[in-house]
């Protein structure tokens, strides 16, 4: 395989986590998804003293964008580095956030067809008036069959194609939920790399989390004030907005109510809220009623994005959470929540970020003498520069000479016009603008005709740009991994894992210098 993997620089060292008391609660072992290859990791997690590095993501169709895989590989790499450094077992766990209710994000996928064209697929939109069901309660239904068929038809022919297709069919079935398919597919894909997927909607996880969610409800007023103070501190430090809404009584706890997953809002009382109201449905609950619900149906309660990492650290022996840029921004708000709830804070660590450059893209870059930055830079217009470079030198010189002559000539006319009648200055300037526009129009016409002659080369550049910056966005935020697995097989994940591990081994603060 001759893939090239370019790492996106962070510009800063990765903070080093600190060890803590290890050991996973035996009940939580049941929430870890079994898949071929997880046996060793599961056995290690059952041992006293084992630590974990966690990461996670809400569900995405066909395992979602590449950064989901990047996060999982980042957790694995960091766990390996820490295990070697501390000489104690550290296991990577991927927290599958199946109680997320963002259907729009979970129901869409994009990939590259064999010819390099970008394909989009999505499940039918959810009725805006429908309950906002969490993804573990949202069935795929027969609607998944059409996008799955389109994806399978676009898998490139290779020795790995059938295996990739079977993997997708095993999990993306009409009877599966969106979260169930995602969780199962990731568990199978990541198992050979020693990464274990945790189903956060499993009753064992919900039961373990419930006391911490209730604690957050009891201290909702206090947490609201602490978050506001933390936001003020961050703004004073120039850190900007964390990008997460809070305040106005909104708690950090979500409840599955009549309108689906709903934010609980505290009402009444200054010290401790006397009741809580589901924001969309308006249903009201006393704290005692929510306590009974937590005991009888804990699956109906969940944490919002600010409380979730706190809950995660409370129930898992996690030393680090591998996070994307958006998560790192809002995680700066969370220290007061850990402090108020008496939970040890795991270290937030940036995930690895990079670009996979396939051979067909590398050949285009070499052909036109371009660096990868030329395709990644949104302001770059390599296609126009390519065409313009084909204009005869004499034509370029003539265009430039015309512009200079027009500038000089109209400058003289402008001075003369002001001396004759100041009101003539504006018309003369208008004539100058029109004359210069004529040179631009002439150049554009020449370029348009050259484009027709260079259509093949321009298509090659456009496809190469689509491969590394699809829809004008980072590759890892758009493309799903399945077609690449069909083309390159498990070796793709192995190469990515090596690149990610090398990055953490060198970027982690205090890491030994490679020999």
């Amino acid at each position: 395989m001759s893939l090239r993997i370019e790492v996106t620089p962070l510009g800063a060292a990765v903070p080093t986590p600190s060890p803590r008391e290890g050991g996973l609660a035996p009940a939580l072992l049941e929430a870890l998804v079994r898949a071929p290859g997880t046996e060793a990791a599961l056995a290690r997690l059952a041992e006293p003293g084992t630590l974990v590095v966690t990461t996670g993501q809400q569900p995405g169709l066909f395992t979602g964008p590449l950064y989901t895989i990047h996060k999982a590989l980042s957790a694995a790499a960091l766990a390996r580095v820490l295990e070697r450094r501390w000489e104690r077992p550290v296991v990577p766990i991927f927290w599958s956030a199946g109680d997320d209710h963002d259907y729009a994000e979970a129901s869409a996928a994009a990939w590259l067809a064999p010819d390099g064209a970008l394909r989009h697929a999505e499940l039918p939109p959810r009725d805006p008036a429908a309950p906002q069901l969490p993804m573990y309660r949202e069935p795929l239904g027969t609607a998944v069959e059409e996008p799955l068929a389109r994806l399978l038809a676009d898998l490139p022919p290779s020795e790995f194609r059938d295996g990739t297709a079977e993997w997708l069919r095993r999990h993306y079935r009409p009877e599966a939920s969106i979260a169930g398919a995602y969780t199962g597919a990731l568990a199978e894909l990541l198992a050979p790399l020693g990464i274990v997927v945790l189903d956060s909607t499993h009753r064992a996880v919900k039961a373990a989390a419930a006391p911490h969610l209730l604690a957050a409800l009891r201290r909702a007023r206090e947490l609201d004030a602490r978050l506001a103070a933390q936001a003020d501190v961050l703004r004073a430090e120039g850190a900007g907005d964390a990008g997460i809404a809070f305040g106005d009584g909104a708690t950090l706890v979500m409840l599955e109510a009549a309108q689906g997953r709903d934010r609980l809002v505290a009402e009444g009382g200054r010290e401790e809220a006397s009741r809580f109201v589901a924001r969309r449905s308006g249903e009201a609950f006393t704290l005692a009623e929510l306590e009974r619900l937590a005991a009888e149906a804990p699956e109906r309660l969940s944490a919002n994005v600010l409380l979730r990492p706190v809950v995660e650290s409370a129930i898992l022996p996690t030393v680090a959470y591998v996070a994307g840029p958006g998560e790192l921004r809002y995680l700066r708000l969370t220290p007061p929540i850990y402090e108020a709830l008496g939970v040890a804070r795991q270290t937030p660590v940036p995930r690895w970020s990079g670009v996979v450059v396939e051979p067909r893209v590398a050949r285009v870059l070499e052909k036109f003498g371009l660096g990868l930055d030329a395709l990644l830079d949104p302001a770059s217009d390599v296609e126009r520069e390519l065409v313009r470079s084909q204009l005869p030198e004499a034509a370029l010189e003539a265009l430039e000479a015309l512009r200079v002559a027009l500038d000089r000539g109209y400058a003289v006319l402008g001075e003369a016009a002001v001396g004759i009648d100041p009101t003539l200055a504006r018309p003369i300037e208008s004539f100058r603008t029109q004359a210069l526009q004529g040179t631009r129009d002439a150049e554009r016409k020449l370029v348009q005709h050259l484009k027709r002659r260079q259509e093949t080369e321009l298509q090659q550049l456009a496809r190469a740009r689509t491969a590394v910056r699809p829809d004008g966005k980072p590759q890892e935020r758009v493309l799903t991994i399945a077609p690449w697995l069909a083309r390159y097989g498990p070796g793709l994940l192995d190469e990515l894992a090596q690149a990610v591990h090398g990055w953490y081994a060198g970027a982690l603060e205090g890491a030994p210098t490679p020999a």
Side-chain angles (χ1 to χ4, degrees):
M1 194 184 310
S2 55
L3 286 170
R4 176 172 140 207
I5 299 171
E6 295 280 339
V7 180
T8 303
L10 275 182
V14 175
T16 301
S18 301
R20 59 183 282 188
E21 184 178 350
L24 189 69
L28 292 177
L29 291 171
E30 296 304 312
L32 300 172
V33 182
R34 271 62 180 168
T38 57
E39 295 81 7
L42 291 171
R44 296 171 74 211
L45 285 166
E47 297 173 1
T50 296
L51 299 173
V52 301
V53 169
T54 57
T55 192
Q57 188 62 32
Q58 63 264 42
L61 187 61
F62 308 137
T63 73
L66 278 169
Y67 69 76
T68 298
I69 307 301
H70 293 175
K71 290 175 83 171
L73 296 179
S74 295
L78 180 59
R80 285 177 58 195
V81 172
L82 294 176
E83 181 170 271
R84 190 177 303 115
R85 182 178 294 188
W86 295 340
E87 297 182 344
R88 60 183 297 185
V90 184
V91 176
I93 288 181
F94 185 94
W95 178 289
S96 180
D99 46 22
D100 186 84
H101 60 280
D102 189 345
Y103 179 83
E105 182 169 342
S107 61
W111 61 87
L112 295 178
D115 65 355
L118 182 62
R119 299 272 202 267
H120 289 277
E122 50 279 319
L123 300 174
R126 182 159 63 185
D127 186 336
Q132 303 294 294
L133 293 178
M135 292 303 102
Y136 81 101
R137 294 196 191 276
E138 188 75 60
L140 284 168
T142 56
V144 76
E145 293 172 350
E146 191 272 336
L148 178 59
R150 289 178 56 200
L151 175 55
L152 295 179
D154 276 339
L155 296 182
S158 79
E159 61 183 298
F160 308 111
R161 185 188 186 284
D162 290 347
T164 302
E166 290 166 7
W167 165 66
L168 288 167
R169 288 195 191 98
R170 264 195 299 278
H171 300 285
Y172 287 90
R173 309 180 316 276
E175 64 270 22
S177 69
I178 290 177
Y182 170 82
T183 301
L186 278 179
E188 182 179 341
L189 182 66
L190 300 174
L193 299 164
I195 303 165
V196 181
V197 174
L198 181 140
D199 177 5
S200 66
T201 67
H202 192 282
R203 189 174 178 85
V205 176
K206 291 293 190 176
H212 307 285
L213 301 181
L214 292 172
L217 289 173
R218 294 187 190 102
R219 308 185 72 166
R221 297 292 190 198
E222 177 190 348
L223 291 174
D224 217 6
R226 285 180 177 240
L227 284 169
Q230 178 73 355
D232 289 341
V233 169
L234 292 173
R235 279 191 290 268
E237 293 174 350
D241 189 353
I244 293 292
F246 61 90
D248 296 326
T251 74
L252 305 180
V253 179
M254 312 289 287
L255 170 71
E256 287 184 47
Q259 287 299 310
R261 190 168 182 250
D262 214 340
R263 187 81 165 263
L264 286 173
V265 179
E267 289 191 350
R270 290 190 176 182
E271 297 301 321
E272 184 172 302
S274 58
R275 73 172 196 158
F276 300 86
V277 176
R279 177 175 278 171
R280 286 195 307 277
S281 72
E283 296 166 89
F285 303 84
T286 65
L287 182 59
E289 288 171 333
L290 291 171
E291 288 171 341
R292 278 199 302 276
L293 191 87
E296 297 168 5
E299 66 277 5
R300 290 180 59 189
L301 293 169
S302 58
N304 86 328
V305 292
L306 292 177
L307 183 58
R308 186 190 52 74
V310 182
V311 170
E312 187 177 303
S313 190
I315 68 175
L316 298 176
T318 176
V319 294
Y321 177 76
V322 176
E327 292 170 298
L328 291 173
R329 189 166 65 251
Y330 69 67
L331 285 173
R332 297 174 305 183
L333 277 174
T334 60
I337 307 174
Y338 288 87
E339 183 181 349
L341 299 184
V343 175
R345 184 171 183 250
Q346 72 275 61
T347 302
V349 175
R351 69 168 172 82
W352 179 90
S353 178
V355 181
V356 177
V357 182
E358 292 190 84
R360 56 185 172 182
V361 176
R363 287 193 294 270
V364 171
L365 292 174
E366 183 179 358
K367 175 178 178 178
F368 296 106
L370 298 172
L372 183 59
D373 288 347
L375 297 181
L376 295 176
D377 183 358
S380 172
D381 190 349
V382 291
E383 290 89 342
R384 183 181 182 280
E385 291 303 315
L386 168 67
V387 173
R388 195 174 186 278
S389 70
Q390 302 303 308
L391 281 172
E393 189 66 30
L396 290 170
E397 291 174 357
L399 287 167
E400 184 59 28
L402 272 172
R403 293 186 183 107
V404 171
L406 287 168
D407 269 330
R408 288 175 180 170
Y410 274 99
V412 173
L413 289 176
E415 291 177 7
V418 171
I420 296 169
D421 183 345
T423 63
L424 292 174
R426 183 171 291 178
I428 294 296
E429 178 60 25
S430 178
F431 296 150
R432 171 187 171 276
T433 301
Q434 292 174 27
L436 288 172
Q437 183 60 47
T439 66
R440 288 191 287 270
D441 288 342
E443 181 178 355
R444 187 167 59 251
K445 280 289 184 185
L446 292 169
V447 167
Q448 283 175 350
H449 283 264
L450 277 172
K451 279 184 176 180
R452 293 172 192 162
R453 289 172 49 184
Q454 294 183 298
E455 186 175 350
T456 300
E457 288 80 2
L458 292 174
Q459 285 179 349
Q460 290 172 347
L461 277 173
R463 288 285 195 258
R465 187 190 291 278
T466 295
V468 298
R469 196 169 175 80
D471 280 344
K473 300 172 185 176
Q475 178 193 76
E476 62 183 5
R477 302 200 69 83
V478 176
L479 301 179
T480 192
I481 198 169
W484 281 343
L485 290 174
R487 188 184 299 275
Y488 301 109
L492 169 66
L493 291 177
D494 292 337
E495 285 201 32
L496 279 170
Q498 290 174 18
V500 178
H501 181 265
W503 185 76
Y504 277 103
L508 199 65
E509 288 178 345
T513 304

